[in-house]
Amino acid sequence: MGVSRRQAIREGWLHRVAVTVCRDERGRILVHRRSEQLSRFPGLYEVVVGGAVDVGESYEQAAARELAEELGIRVLPRLLFTFINRSGLSPHWLGVHEAVVPDAVVPDPDEVAWHGWLTEPELRSALLEWRFTPDSHEAFSRYLAFRTAQS
């Protein structure tokens, strides 16, 4: 039997989180604002969609599950890299994925208060002006470095 993410955070235990950078066919990136009733980082913006990886679940399975739960879409995200993320509430392994998703996502209103599609330059500006989650800053900067290294 596993432990909950809440317990892992409270105890400072290393746990796994899967997130996905969602792009549309034009290359824009999905950005969303977290619902105000969420316990972690209410009302902050995010560049990634994701959540905890369950015991026995792969990063890819968790990322796909989270995309279905939070955005109502069924896609298979591609795992790009993992790293120990020390930003946020507690240290955790962060599996960063990428997926091309339809423009017409249907976010869960309990999770997502607003969403929109931004170009990379628009997102770079937003990261300086809007309040984003710590994971968003860390994951997106590493994502850009990864993409640069691959090209």
Side-chain angles (χ1 to χ4, degrees):
M1 165 137 175
V3 298
S4 70
R5 184 173 184 189
R6 176 172 284 122
Q7 183 180 6
I9 290 169
R10 186 178 61 243
E11 301 294 337
W13 296 333
L14 204 52
H15 56 286
R16 297 183 304 148
V17 175
V19 297
T20 303
V21 175
C22 297
R23 291 183 168 272
D24 68 4
E25 294 289 341
R26 295 189 284 175
R28 297 178 303 170
I29 299 166
L30 180 71
V31 174
H32 69 278
R33 187 168 48 80
R34 295 172 60 83
S35 171
E36 292 293 340
Q37 64 256 23
L38 291 174
S39 61
R40 290 181 293 280
F41 307 113
L44 297 189
Y45 289 90
E46 283 199 293
V47 177
V48 292
V49 174
V53 179
D54 292 334
V55 173
E57 189 176 41
S58 70
Y59 282 107
E60 292 92 339
Q61 290 167 330
R65 176 179 47 76
E66 290 289 340
L67 288 171
E69 290 173 5
E70 295 185 22
L71 300 181
I73 57 173
R74 300 224 179 271
V75 297
L76 286 176
R78 183 172 64 101
L79 178 63
L80 303 178
F81 57 90
T82 61
F83 69 98
I84 294 182
N85 185 11
R86 298 193 186 283
S87 68
L89 299 175
S90 69
H92 53 278
W93 277 101
L94 194 63
V96 179
H97 301 73
E98 180 179 55
V100 176
V101 303
D103 287 1
V105 297
V106 183
D108 176 349
D110 291 336
E111 302 260 353
V112 177
W114 170 90
H115 74 282
W117 295 94
L118 301 181
T119 64
E120 277 191 33
E122 290 168 338
L123 180 51
R124 288 175 195 270
S125 293
L127 282 163
L128 298 173
E129 297 169 19
W130 303 353
R131 293 184 55 228
F132 279 83
T133 64
D135 279 3
S136 286
H137 284 282
E138 188 68 25
F140 192 65
S141 66
R142 289 178 184 248
Y143 169 78
L144 291 176
F146 176 87
R147 284 178 46 112
T148 300
Q150 297 299 304
S151 56

